[in-house]
Amino acid sequence: VHALSHDAAVRLIEPGRYTADLSDRFNLPSGNVNGGYGLAVCVRALAAELDHPDPLVVSATYLRQLRSGPVEVETERLRGGRRLSVGEARISQGGSEALRVVATFADLSSASGRTEVVGSPPDLPPPQDCLDLAAGLELPDDSIMARTQVRFPTAPGWFSGAPTGVAAAQFWMRLADDEPVDTLALPSMVDLAIPVVFELGEFATTTVELTVHVRARPAPGWLACRVKTDYLIGGYHEEDFEIWDSTGKLVAQSRQLQLLVG
Amino acid sequence: VHALSHDAAVRLIEPGRYTADLSDRFNLPSGNVNGGYGLAVCVRALAAELDHPDPLVVSATYLRQLRSGPVEVETERLRGGRRLSVGEARISQGGSEALRVVATFADLSSASGRTEVVGSPPDLPPPQDCLDLAAGLELPDDSIMARTQVRFPTAPGWFSGAPTGVAAAQFWMRLADDEPVDTLALPSMVDLAIPVVFELGEFATTTVELTVHVRARPAPGWLACRVKTDYLIGGYHEEDFEIWDSTGKLVAQSRQLQLLVG
């Protein structure tokens, strides 16, 4: 059973109301669950509610931390249409809303307009020639670290205790157990990786808002990722993330605003 | 009387409910109002409702076009706190919701954390040495074109009927009549400029979602802007926008997802 699709599943209570059980398999070191996991639950509730299959734009505003355990998700349909449908999901735990998501869904298989691409995929050696930071480690099952496979071309500075001071990285990523990544999983992928501000020696940062654009359905296999933070100002910073699939297509682009804590 | 602050003003009806009169001064050629103007109204309603003065992150999802005339804005407080407050605004016209905005407010004057900036401001000649595309034109008062002053280092390709094929630009911008740009106005500024896909020969594009990060309070004077679209895929494209103030500080960063139409 694949962790993300299994643990992010929602059950319909009545139209516009769902429940889910957050597992401990996406736990952060703090004991809270990863924000991308909470987002995955909301995206699945919206997919059940809306008319189109692919989340085209997802905007998530983080209000409170989520812990493993039962949650409730309320959804609201805001617009239906031939091309796009829009909805909002609100996930609550213990009666308090923790995360609000507004998303526009589309059918990316029928996006037939013009294409002009300026950027190019990360220039990475094949995954088998890259470094597995987790090699030889016994990762506990109740850790976010065990939910992805990651391959770096060279070891990040922070990994050997010497952050480079440059908050930029390129690497391969996929879900654990080769779980396929579909467009419902993509918005979470951008938040499952290690924050790139680790390279600034900053190891605690919290997300205020995350917006993900899903641009295409990913082909199977490893995903090439490019991440950077250019502007840390007064403790607030953006993190920009691109995901390219194994055929060299851009499949997701995201930006989040985060705040250094502690 | 300054156009943006005057025409985006809201009147309280009761807690959580406001009205506004959309003027025709932000009209697009289509006769709809500019999306940044609708956003300005929502940001002002949220500013009236929330505890902190500056919109730190604003995410706007566009549902329907707005026309000049009366609108109603509903606001909802989602979270208060020492550092951040969060709310949602829903603007409706004729009983139909047109725009939903989720925003996190903060006090940027007290953002005292670490600063590390990698990027740099656009490299532009002084505004007085740049080109005023509107020089000698009689702009009608009911047009978005009359609401900003813009100075380009050289004439854009599209301006002389020869789009360059490169969707990137740098220019100076400020509001008409030297209206001061505060943090309430900044989220709208990124949508008041001409879409950079004009340089791809595409003159009709509509916004699905716009997220703006406000990073600092702008100093008075001209704002240096940098805009680009790197990924037009199947008719959908992002537009990334940076605004730097006259002292060389990054004050806003935004990305929107748009769809070519027609």
Side-chain angles (χ1 to χ4, degrees), chain A residues 31-245:
Chain A
N32 299 316
V33 306
N34 168 262
Y37 175 40
L39 176 57
V41 173
C42 291
V43 166
R44 273 154 205 279
L46 285 166
E49 198 71 21
L50 298 176
D51 303 326
H52 295 83
D54 304 302
L56 172 69
V57 194
V58 173
S59 165
T61 300
Y62 289 86
L63 302 165
R64 288 175 189 82
Q65 299 291 343
L66 286 163
R67 311 277 297 188
S68 59
V71 291
E72 186 162 309
V73 186
E74 275 182 12
T75 60
E76 181 187 2
R77 290 171 62 99
L78 302 182
R79 205 196 109 169
R82 188 181 55 83
R83 195 154 195 173
L84 303 172
S85 49
V86 187
E88 177 171 282
R90 302 177 278 268
I91 188 169
S92 302
Q93 192 167 47
S96 291
E97 184 176 347
L99 170 57
R100 179 164 293 207
V101 176
V102 182
T104 301
F105 277 57
D107 182 345
L108 286 172
S109 71
S110 67
S112 55
R114 183 172 169 194
T115 294
E116 301 282 347
V117 170
V118 172
S120 51
D123 184 21
L124 286 166
Q128 64 272 19
D129 297 338
C130 287
L131 191 66
D132 178 3
L133 301 186
L137 295 182
E138 198 67 54
L139 293 173
D141 191 53
D142 65 346
S143 165
I144 181 79
M145 299 297 296
R147 297 288 81 76
T148 56
Q149 308 171 62
V150 180
R151 299 288 182 275
F152 278 84
T154 56
W158 60 262
F159 187 69
S160 48
T164 59
V166 179
Q170 301 190 146
F171 52 89
W172 296 103
M173 182 164 59
R174 64 192 304 179
L175 289 171
D177 305 319
D178 298 351
E179 176 174 352
V181 174
D182 58 13
T183 57
L184 297 186
L186 270 178
S188 303
M189 295 299 287
V190 304
D191 204 44
L192 293 180
I194 285 161
V196 74
V197 290
F198 273 33
E199 286 294 21
L200 301 181
E202 299 290 350
F203 302 104
T205 186
T206 184
T207 300
V208 177
E209 195 270 351
L210 164 64
T211 299
V212 187
H213 298 179
V214 175
R215 305 300 294 273
R217 296 184 180 169
W222 286 96
L223 298 165
C225 302
R226 177 186 283 130
V227 57
K228 71 187 171 87
T229 290
D230 281 343
Y231 304 107
L232 168 59
I233 301 174
Y236 295 99
H237 65 92
E238 94 289 2
E239 181 179 274
D240 278 11
F241 209 107
E242 290 176 9
I243 302 183
W244 298 72
D245 76 4

Side-chain angles (χ1 to χ4, degrees), chain B:
Chain B
V1 179
H2 287 132
L4 184 60
S5 58
H6 178 270
D7 295 4
V10 295
R11 283 182 306 280
L12 179 72
I13 302 294
E14 61 185 17
R17 235 177 104 223
Y18 299 81
T19 57
D21 285 305
L22 300 188
S23 77
D24 61 7
R25 297 202 286 180
F26 293 84
N27 274 7
L28 299 168
S30 64
N32 299 315
V33 306
N34 168 261
Y37 175 39
L39 176 57
V41 174
C42 291
V43 166
R44 273 154 204 279
L46 286 166
E49 198 71 21
L50 299 176
D51 303 326
H52 296 83
D54 303 302
L56 173 69
V57 194
V58 173
S59 164
T61 299
Y62 289 85
L63 301 165
R64 289 175 189 84
Q65 300 291 344
L66 285 164
R67 311 277 297 190
S68 60
V71 292
E72 186 161 311
V73 186
E74 276 182 11
T75 59
E76 182 186 1
R77 289 171 62 100
L78 303 181
R79 204 197 110 168
R82 189 181 55 83
R83 195 153 195 173
L84 303 173
S85 48
V86 187
E88 178 171 282
R90 302 177 278 269
I91 189 169
S92 301
Q93 193 167 47
S96 291
E97 185 176 347
L99 170 57
R100 180 164 292 208
V101 176
V102 182
T104 302
F105 277 58
D107 183 344
L108 286 172
S109 70
S110 68
S112 56
R114 183 172 168 193
T115 294
E116 299 282 348
V117 170
V118 171
S120 51
D123 184 21
L124 286 167
Q128 65 272 20
D129 296 338
C130 287
L131 192 67
D132 178 4
L133 301 186
L137 295 182
E138 197 67 54
L139 294 173
D141 190 54
D142 65 344
S143 164
I144 181 80
M145 298 297 294
R147 298 286 82 74
T148 56
Q149 308 171 63
V150 180
R151 298 289 182 276
F152 277 85
T154 56
W158 60 263
F159 187 69
S160 48
T164 60
V166 179
Q170 300 190 148
F171 52 89
W172 297 102
M173 182 163 59
R174 62 192 304 178
L175 289 171
D177 304 318
D178 299 351
E179 175 173 352
V181 174
D182 57 14
T183 57
L184 297 186
L186 270 178
S188 303
M189 294 300 286
V190 304
D191 204 44
L192 293 180
I194 286 161
V196 73
V197 290
F198 274 33
E199 286 295 20
L200 302 180
E202 300 289 349
F203 302 104
T205 186
T206 185
T207 300
V208 177
E209 195 269 351
L210 164 65
T211 298
V212 186
H213 299 179
V214 175
R215 306 301 293 275
R217 297 185 180 168
W222 286 95
L223 298 165
C225 302
R226 178 187 281 132
V227 57
K228 71 185 170 91
T229 290
D230 280 343
Y231 303 108
L232 167 59
I233 301 175
Y236 295 99
H237 65 91
E238 94 289 2
E239 181 179 275
D240 277 12
F241 210 106
E242 289 176 8
I243 302 183
W244 299 72
D245 76 4
S246 57
T247 70
K249 270 191 319 192
L250 180 78
V251 295
Q253 193 179 25
S254 75
R255 177 175 291 158
Q256 53 185 304
L257 189 78
Q258 299 181 285
L259 172 61
L260 300 184
V261 289

